[in-house]
Amino acid sequence: MSDDGTDPKDDRRPLTRLAQAGRRPEWTGMPGQPGGIVSPPVWRASTILYDDVAHLRKAAASSTHERLFYGRKGTPTAWSLADALTEMEPEAAGTMLYPSGVAAIGCALMAVLKPGDRLLMVDSAYDPTRNFCEQVLRPWGVETVYYDPTIGEGIAGLISDNTRAIFLESPGSLTFEVQDVPAIAAIARDRGVATLIDNTWATPLYLPALSLGVDISILACTKYIVGHSDVMMGSVSATEAWFPRLRQTAYLFGQMVSPDDAWLAARGLRTLGIRLRQHQDSALAIAHWLEEQPEVARVLHPGLPSSPGHALWQRDFSGATGLFSFVLKGGDEKARAALIDGLAHFGIGYSWGGFESLALPVDPVRYRSATRWEAEGPAVRLHIGLEDPADLIADLDAGLARFRAAA
């Protein structure tokens, strides 16, 4: 057994881990009292009291990680959630929590970079990630070089003496290119370069990024981990080599999450497996249907055989989720708006990963610099929620009729 009471040879399957993770006795029981409760309770705290000065001095002189010290360092509610997320990544040494996915991305990058370094950033990255690179890292003295998401082993040609990190996002959250994660991670590790991945789309349940050689895995927990569109949160899990630096950076930036939010996220985590399965099944049914519609030029979903990244998805992923895009055949902004505005079962809004379906107009050309986005018409991104897919198909069918009339 390891120091934290877990078995390093844990052979539990993923769904069992989801149900049991983060429920150590120290999170769910009272000292000296047998048994315990099922879910860790909400511990709210700012000030922690000490018995005397000697006790205070001793606490300050030792590790404050997962120990009551001061509210900013957390309470058992957040620690149990971080524990559970670490258990989802078998190669992870630990997980830190942040008040949003963007905060998680920013702090993870700050943990591995310094002025004078170069960062290789995938060209299909989430727009706020690009904004952080241009508006924070560049003025700070870190050069960002964008690369083709399909580059694979060709990444070796972009690594220079001052390249310190490679950032991946697979698939991309607008255009869904699948990256060759193991190839990029292997080359990076051989050259002493850190790898980070935004793994929000698949979660570790469907893409065990650290097991594929990545050093740092980032989740916008706002999406599938929470699952109910009511909490903002991010997380970063890292290998033993990187976790201490990640933790120290989070502490220095004062990053923490509300215990109430941590409790809600932990509650959502328990149903992640069954929710993702439903998101996947419904999204694939709708993606296949869209492929057959004359108004649709292309469907951008890695789970479709027609997707250029399908072979890599089959090799590395154990499932798909509810987010994908499709490109319309011709038409303009007005016609796309007619399609989206009249939808009855899809909300119009940012984010995704909740139980509700969403439709969003997307224009990938605005967020590219290393590659060129060309399409037959405007694009729409869908998040397929937990509604009956037959109702969603009927809704989209009526939307395509509106598009056809307005085009």
Side-chain angles (χ1 to χ4, degrees):
M1 302 291 283
S2 63
D3 291 342
D4 65 4
T6 60
D7 185 350
K9 296 181 180 179
D10 187 351
D11 60 356
R12 291 175 300 165
R13 290 175 172 81
L15 293 182
T16 304
R17 276 207 187 99
L18 282 176
Q20 298 176 352
R23 292 171 55 204
R24 293 193 228 163
E26 55 262 53
W27 312 147
T28 59
M30 295 292 289
Q33 187 169 319
I37 55 179
V38 173
S39 296
V42 179
W43 291 58
R44 302 182 187 91
S46 56
T47 299
I48 307 300
L49 298 177
Y50 298 89
D51 295 336
D52 48 38
V53 172
H55 183 202
L56 182 145
R57 300 293 189 208
K58 182 179 179 181
S62 59
S63 171
T64 58
H65 183 58
E66 292 190 349
R67 293 177 187 272
L68 288 173
F69 178 75
Y70 180 64
R72 192 175 62 246
K73 296 294 182 73
T75 69
T77 313
W79 302 337
S80 66
L81 172 61
D83 221 17
L85 292 169
T86 299
E87 288 192 54
M88 289 181 65
E89 287 275 14
E91 303 299 321
T95 297
M96 298 303 295
L97 303 176
Y98 304 82
S100 70
V102 172
I105 290 167
C107 280
L109 287 169
M110 296 295 279
V112 302
L113 296 166
K114 65 182 185 305
D117 289 346
R118 170 185 276 190
L119 166 69
L120 299 182
M121 172 61 64
V122 62
D123 203 32
S124 55
Y126 178 49
D127 181 40
T129 305
R130 296 179 72 101
N131 290 342
F132 188 85
C133 292
E134 298 305 316
Q135 298 178 37
V136 177
L137 294 183
R138 196 174 294 280
W140 189 50
V142 172
E143 178 189 12
T144 299
V145 175
Y146 296 93
Y147 67 90
D148 185 336
T150 64
I151 197 170
E153 292 181 350
I155 198 78
L158 298 181
I159 298 176
S160 60
D161 290 342
N162 66 333
T163 301
R164 294 291 175 265
I166 301 172
F167 195 101
L168 304 92
E169 182 178 324
S170 185
S173 58
L174 293 183
T175 47
F176 299 91
E177 296 93 340
V178 180
Q179 296 190 253
D180 192 339
V181 174
I184 293 173
I187 290 167
R189 189 157 291 186
D190 186 59
R191 301 283 289 273
V193 175
T195 49
L196 308 88
I197 188 169
D198 183 336
N199 198 23
T200 304
W201 185 86
T203 81
L205 192 63
Y206 285 168
L207 182 70
L210 269 57
S211 297
L212 296 179
V214 175
D215 296 306
I216 296 171
S217 179
I218 304 165
L219 302 179
C221 298
T222 307
K223 276 72 170 181
Y224 286 123
I225 301 302
V226 169
H228 293 79
S229 301
D230 53 8
V231 171
M232 299 291 295
M233 191 178 297
S235 71
V236 184
S237 301
T239 60
E240 187 173 358
W242 286 103
F243 183 65
R245 189 183 300 185
L246 177 78
R247 179 176 62 199
Q248 182 65 9
T249 303
Y251 287 165
L252 289 172
F253 277 93
Q255 294 295 308
M256 62 168 297
V257 301
S258 154
D260 296 83
D261 287 348
W263 187 87
L264 285 169
R267 187 175 192 178
L269 182 68
R270 303 305 174 193
T271 60
L272 179 67
I274 56 174
R275 285 188 288 105
L276 286 191
R277 188 181 305 129
Q278 186 61 54
H279 286 301
Q280 170 186 251
D281 292 349
S282 295
L284 279 171
I286 291 168
H288 281 293
W289 177 84
L290 282 168
E291 276 197 311
E292 300 172 355
Q293 306 313 304
E295 299 85 4
V296 176
R298 280 183 287 152
V299 180
L300 310 176
H301 189 309
L304 296 179
S306 58
S307 169
H310 182 67
L312 289 174
W313 175 80
Q314 280 190 310
R315 185 192 71 185
D316 296 338
F317 292 72
S318 59
T321 55
L323 192 75
F324 68 95
S325 294
F326 65 95
V327 177
L328 291 157
K329 193 175 293 183
D332 55 15
E333 174 63 26
K334 179 181 176 182
R336 177 173 63 179
L339 189 165
I340 295 173
D341 288 349
L343 292 172
H345 299 308
F346 290 81
I348 304 172
Y350 298 105
S351 198
W352 40 276
F355 57 85
E356 78 289 0
S357 291
L358 297 170
L360 190 72
V362 293
D363 300 294
V365 69
R366 299 166 51 194
Y367 310 114
R368 293 302 177 102
S369 53
T371 55
R372 184 175 179 180
W373 170 255
E374 295 181 337
E376 300 84 344
V380 177
R381 190 181 74 178
L382 299 178
H383 175 254
I384 304 304
L386 302 181
E387 303 91 346
D388 192 303
D391 288 334
L392 299 178
I393 286 174
D395 202 11
L396 289 168
D397 194 28
L400 290 173
R402 291 190 299 274
F403 170 81
R404 186 168 59 248

